[in-house]
Amino acid sequence: MIHTIFFFRKPVPDYHSIEELFRNVMEHLPPDIKPDQHIVKRESKGIINRVLNIFEVISCQQDVNHITGDINYIAYLLHKNKTVLTIHDLEIIKRSNFFKRAVLLFFWFVVPIKRVRYVTVISSFTKQELLKWVRTVPSKIVVIPNCIPGNILHHPQPFNNNCPVILQVGTKQNKNLPNLIKAIEGIPCKLIILGQL
């Protein structure tokens, strides 16, 4: 039996995609993997909260420690050869000014990546972006696309060539909605947006 613990950020209103994704993963693991989860007690804000989060997770370690995202820095004191870090995107780096970018890059990406055995990313694009920002062995970064929850079913419909429907899930800054709208300008289509504008 392999005991695996998934580390989650403290819940934040309007941000729950990481939690939903990994709870779905946990439900579908093979029988020889026993999953557990740990939600850090403090928000990822301020130096003191983050340091306390780092120390909080030390005693929770298992055969495999999986940091599910957004709290990459908790890798600092986890057992390196037993830890996996998932990086979903690098939007936080791309949207930051020079000073903030340097701090985030070092503390959220460079050091945590050195302190884990593997990094998983959701796409080849994210892997290539990460390799532009962080020097590491490319084979350490493994592409594992996001899974689709079991309650989402495919219902084939005839494709509408005259006016296709585009579904945009989410409206936060990292969803790149303004560029999507620019990209489809002048194209006969229907855009459905899920989320608050």
Side-chain angles (χ1 to χ4, degrees):
M1 186 68 68
I2 300 168
H3 294 268
T4 302
I5 187 156
F6 292 85
F7 290 105
F8 291 97
R9 63 190 170 187
K10 182 174 181 177
V12 180
D14 298 328
Y15 290 92
H16 46 79
S17 57
I18 292 172
E19 292 78 6
E20 288 179 18
L21 170 71
F22 278 100
R23 291 207 174 95
N24 190 44
V25 168
M26 290 168 66
E27 289 174 10
H28 293 89
L29 290 172
D32 62 333
I33 297 177
K34 183 179 186 291
D36 199 356
Q37 65 178 325
H38 181 85
I39 301 167
V40 295
K41 294 175 186 167
R42 294 159 195 87
E43 275 189 81
S44 184
K45 290 186 177 180
I47 294 171
I48 293 172
N49 276 0
R50 290 174 177 132
V51 169
L52 291 172
N53 283 343
I54 291 168
F55 282 99
E56 175 187 328
V57 299
I58 295 171
S59 63
C60 303
Q61 296 185 76
Q62 299 289 331
D63 299 323
V64 177
N65 308 305
H66 193 137
I67 303 166
T68 60
D70 203 39
I71 52 171
N72 306 1
Y73 59 87
I74 68 167
Y76 291 1
L77 299 179
L78 294 178
H79 192 289
K80 179 179 180 173
N81 287 328
K82 295 181 176 184
T83 303
V84 176
L85 168 64
T86 294
I87 295 175
H88 299 272
D89 59 49
L90 281 87
E91 288 301 314
I92 193 169
I93 295 292
K94 295 190 285 186
R95 291 193 316 253
S96 301
N97 63 39
F98 178 79
F99 177 73
K100 186 176 180 184
R101 180 182 301 140
V103 170
L104 287 170
L105 185 60
F106 185 74
F107 290 106
W108 257 258
F109 294 94
V110 173
V111 175
I113 288 171
K114 285 183 180 178
R115 292 289 314 138
V116 299
R117 181 155 186 188
Y118 291 108
V119 175
T120 65
V121 294
I122 63 169
S123 67
S124 296
F125 175 78
T126 304
K127 178 175 181 173
Q128 294 311 313
E129 271 195 323
L130 187 58
L131 288 170
K132 286 179 191 173
W133 289 99
V134 179
R135 272 193 215 156
T136 190
V137 181
S139 60
K140 185 176 189 171
I141 304 172
V142 180
V143 176
I144 302 177
N146 283 344
C147 58
I148 298 172
N151 62 352
I152 295 179
L153 303 174
H154 178 64
H155 297 287
Q157 300 289 321
F159 185 76
N160 184 341
N161 288 318
N162 297 326
C163 187
V165 176
I166 298 171
L167 176 64
Q168 168 66 36
V169 180
T171 57
K172 300 288 183 204
Q173 187 174 3
N174 65 321
K175 299 298 181 180
N176 206 7
L177 187 57
N179 283 334
L180 170 62
I181 292 168
K182 285 179 194 173
I184 63 172
E185 187 176 349
I187 297 173
C189 64
K190 178 179 180 180
L191 175 62
I192 297 175
I193 301 169
L194 297 181
Q196 285 189 331
L197 295 177

